[in-house]
Amino acid sequence: MTTSAGVTEDGPTRVLVVDDVPDNVEILHARLASRGYEVVTATNGPEALEAVKVQAPHLILLDVMMPGMDGHEVTRRIKDDDSLPFIPIILVTALTETEDVVQGLESGADDHISKPYNFNELEARMRAMLRVKRLQDELDLKNRELEHANIRLKKLSVTDGLTELFNHRHVHEQLHDEWERSRRTGEPVGVAMIDLDKFKRINDTYGHPTGDVVLYETARIIKETAREIDMVGRYGGEEFIAILPNTDEQEAAAFAERVRAAVEEHLYRDGAVEIRMTTSCGVASSQASQADTPEELLKAADEALYEAKRSGRNRAVRATQVETPQPQA
């Protein structure tokens, strides 16, 4: 919807007029302002670039023949600036040779008009360029929306919906990546398996919504205990996993102990229901366990977790503390 030539439902159309001849600037300013355009002026290239930097116009009418920096150079600089939106540039020139027109278009200009020009023709070209800008702006908006949607989709594909931690599949991918990095650098990678003790009774006694509260709050505790470089995921059910880069077994056990203590101290609330929980943890490190694959490292941490459960729960056990059964003679 347009209320006058230079005014749309979004407000006045802002036009930057660039010309080193004051009379030309004054005439264009008066004619465009009378048609409802918001007019900004500049008398040379550097002024034009500064005006664009302060507030990008919707369209630029740019004289080609200016001392110092000509219109072609101004056009190139504006079009090469990726931080700017699409701004149509109409070159206004007294040069009518084909090679001059070609040079203007190759510099990035979107249209040209020769002096002396008819104002009705100039405004028709302006309207055409502004239609192109609206279409380009709509396309840019759709592309941004698509990019954001893809980012959200990517996040959903790697995230557990309840706890907002990484999901089982993505944790495995991260462990493999971290294992390869560990092999290249020689730095250890630690793994902590963390399981809520007697979680089934929570669902049986209070229902799954309360169980979901316990899972979510436990996830927050683990995430807050971890470092920024650590990768925390929901391994399945009430079991969580933390992948700890550049972490030996002692450091991994210290992390698990901090999680265990924080969970034990935390009071879970779901309405009037108040619950205390504990966790059992099993930790392993690539160097201490002498694992040859990421799967073997996971197995070592899982066996340590089983030992934590077997020996009384609410504790963290290292893989090297688990006795390996000796083969029968």
Side-chain angles (χ1 to χ4, degrees), residues 230-257:
D230 297 333
M231 293 153 275
V232 181
R234 184 182 181 191
Y235 202 67
E238 65 272 23
E239 190 172 4
F240 301 88
I241 182 174
I243 302 169
L244 312 169
N246 195 19
T247 302
D248 60 27
E249 189 181 72
Q250 181 177 350
E251 293 166 334
F255 165 79
E257 176 58 27

Side-chain angles (χ1 to χ4, degrees), residues 50-213:
E50 182 61 25
V52 171
K53 182 179 177 181
V54 170
Q55 187 175 22
H58 297 100
L59 181 142
I60 300 175
L61 295 178
L62 178 60
D63 187 33
V64 173
M65 303 297 293
M66 295 185 295
M69 186 185 299
D70 65 14
H72 296 148
E73 179 62 20
V74 174
T75 299
R76 278 191 290 270
R77 295 197 184 191
I78 292 173
K79 294 298 185 178
D80 288 344
D81 190 341
D82 293 334
S83 68
L84 294 173
F86 170 68
I87 306 172
I89 297 177
I90 300 177
L91 292 180
V92 183
T93 177
L95 303 174
T96 58
E97 295 295 331
T98 300
E99 62 185 73
D100 296 319
V101 174
V102 170
Q103 183 182 0
L105 295 176
E106 287 185 343
S107 69
D110 302 283
D111 198 1
H112 80 285
I113 189 167
S114 300
K115 297 178 181 178
Y117 53 79
N118 177 281
F119 184 78
N120 289 333
E121 179 189 356
L122 174 63
E123 192 177 20
R125 291 179 180 273
M126 290 173 58
R127 287 196 297 269
M129 285 295 98
L130 288 170
R131 286 194 296 271
V132 172
K133 176 174 174 55
R134 281 193 292 273
L135 291 173
Q136 183 64 53
D137 288 347
E138 290 173 4
L139 179 61
D140 290 343
L141 177 60
K142 294 296 183 183
N143 286 337
R144 288 195 299 272
E145 290 174 347
L146 180 60
E147 182 179 353
H148 292 156
N150 285 334
I151 291 172
R152 290 194 298 271
L153 182 61
K154 172 64 176 176
K155 182 178 179 181
L156 288 172
S157 72
V158 301
T159 304
D160 175 66
L162 173 61
T163 63
E164 300 177 2
L165 300 178
F166 292 127
N167 59 27
H168 182 98
R169 178 183 60 81
H170 191 59
V171 164
H172 269 280
E173 292 175 355
Q174 289 184 312
L175 178 58
H176 278 260
D177 290 343
E178 190 56 34
W179 179 268
E180 291 301 320
R181 190 198 68 81
S182 174
R183 291 185 63 185
R184 292 193 304 270
T185 63
E187 297 173 348
V189 54
V191 171
M193 304 291 289
I194 303 161
D195 190 88
L196 283 162
D197 293 329
K198 300 182 179 179
F199 178 75
K200 184 176 183 297
R201 66 179 174 84
I202 301 300
N203 285 335
D204 292 343
T205 304
Y206 304 106
H208 287 277
T210 298
D212 289 348
V213 170

Side-chain angles (χ1 to χ4, degrees), residues 271-290:
V273 176
E274 294 185 347
I275 301 169
R276 295 283 186 180
M277 297 295 298
T278 62
T279 56
S280 297
C281 310
V283 301
S285 179
S286 55
Q287 290 179 352
S289 68
Q290 298 180 343

